[in-house]
Amino acid sequence: MSGKTSKLSAIIHCKCPHCRRGDIFTGSMYGWNIQHTKEICSYCGQRIEIEPGYFYAAMYVSYAMNVIEMLIVSFITYLIFGPLTDATFWHYLIAIFSGCFILYPFNYRYSRIILLHVLSPNIKYKPYYDK
């Protein structure tokens, strides 16, 4: 591969923040292959989990993502069923929990990617891997 890989492209495609070439996850986001976070990048050898328990911080990122998604789902439910009343309570509850369940694999993956690419000052991009 040649050419510079942008940070946004690396985030979207779940690539290593150090080289922007190696995959961070094994398996697909949705499907029968369970996704796992690799321990080291297969392209540059960067350790992905910098220290034990490093990805506990991803829970906070995932929480923020989940709150935003719940607000969006609630607003869409409001547009479809109207305001929250006793009659629409179950519509809201089912819609919000379904959204959380469906978006769980997305949140798992991208909370870790955001933590690695945006919130980790220890991992710096090395452009010499683009050569």
Side-chain angles (χ1 to χ4, degrees):
M1 275 187 187
S2 63
K4 186 175 191 248
T5 305
S6 71
K7 185 170 193 156
L8 180 61
S9 176
I11 290 172
I12 290 171
H13 294 91
C14 301
K15 300 295 183 184
C16 171
H18 185 69
C19 65
R20 297 184 184 169
R21 300 285 181 194
D23 292 323
I24 299 285
F25 296 97
T26 61
S28 60
M29 187 174 350
Y30 291 98
W32 299 111
N33 295 338
I34 297 173
Q35 62 180 332
H36 294 284
T37 308
K38 291 183 176 181
E39 289 184 23
I40 60 169
C41 174
S42 57
Y43 191 85
C44 68
Q46 170 70 41
R47 186 162 171 75
I48 302 300
E49 187 171 2
I50 299 169
E51 57 192 32
Y54 176 73
F55 286 121
Y56 285 127
M59 290 188 305
Y60 297 106
V61 177
S62 178
Y63 176 76
M65 292 170 65
N66 221 343
V67 167
I68 292 167
E69 292 159 1
M70 284 182 189
L71 289 172
I72 292 169
V73 169
S74 297
F75 181 69
I76 292 169
T77 306
Y78 172 79
L79 293 176
I80 295 170
F81 295 106
L84 177 62
T85 62
D86 288 343
T88 60
F89 173 76
W90 287 105
H91 296 104
Y92 276 83
L93 192 68
I94 290 169
I96 290 169
F97 280 118
S98 297
C100 291
F101 182 73
I102 291 168
L103 292 171
Y104 171 75
F106 175 84
N107 289 345
Y108 173 83
R109 183 171 283 213
Y110 282 98
S111 64
R112 289 176 177 228
I113 291 297
I114 289 170
L115 180 67
L116 285 168
H117 279 273
V118 180
L119 302 173
S120 292
N122 296 338
I123 302 177
K124 300 286 186 208
Y125 169 61
K126 303 292 185 207
Y128 59 80
Y129 286 109
D130 288 333
K131 296 176 183 171

